Amino acid sequence: MEYNYKELEDISEFLKVLAHPVRLCIVRGLLSNGGCNVSHMQNCLGVPQSTVSQHLQKLRTAGIIEGERRGFEIIYKVVDQRTAKLIDVLINKEGQ
């Protein structure tokens, strides 16, 4: 068997970023709603805004989400299609 170790390492890091219940909840919510701001996420999750912001930073750094400024707020949305497919398989369980 031949493995591209760098590619597997990148996938492993991607999965580590998603491997937190709050981040999974954020991503699932963004996919369901098409995007939203930090205040909306904070209200849905029931955690402090600073906690949401920390999780958003990890997701942004991994290239999973992006934010678009609209006036005084930033609307976040999922931009990584692997993430959408993975959430469908793991959480939404499409096809079952």
Side-chain angles (χ1 to χ4, degrees):
M1 283 191 261
E2 187 175 315
Y3 291 106
N4 179 341
Y5 189 77
K6 174 64 175 139
E7 182 181 358
L8 294 176
E9 195 172 65
D10 291 345
I11 293 169
S12 175
E13 289 303 315
F14 166 77
L15 291 171
K16 285 179 191 177
V17 171
L18 286 176
H20 190 284
V22 172
R23 289 192 287 271
L24 281 172
C25 190
I26 289 170
V27 169
R28 183 174 65 174
L30 291 176
L31 288 168
S32 296
N33 297 321
C36 62
N37 64 21
V38 174
S39 297
H40 180 77
M41 289 181 232
Q42 177 189 1
N43 291 336
C44 290
L45 294 168
V47 297
Q49 183 174 343
S50 60
T51 301
V52 174
S53 293
Q54 288 173 358
H55 288 294
L56 289 172
Q57 180 59 40
K58 288 183 186 265
L59 292 166
R60 268 196 315 263
T61 300
I64 295 170
I65 65 168
E66 286 182 355
E68 179 184 324
R69 182 165 292 281
R70 293 188 191 160
F72 292 110
E73 59 186 16
I74 299 175
I75 304 299
Y76 293 95
K77 62 181 180 179
V78 175
V79 294
D80 186 297
Q81 291 307 306
R82 296 177 304 172
T83 304
K85 290 177 185 175
L86 188 59
I87 295 300
D88 277 344
V89 169
L90 295 176
I91 296 175
N92 299 335
K93 299 178 183 161
E94 281 189 5
Q96 284 190 0

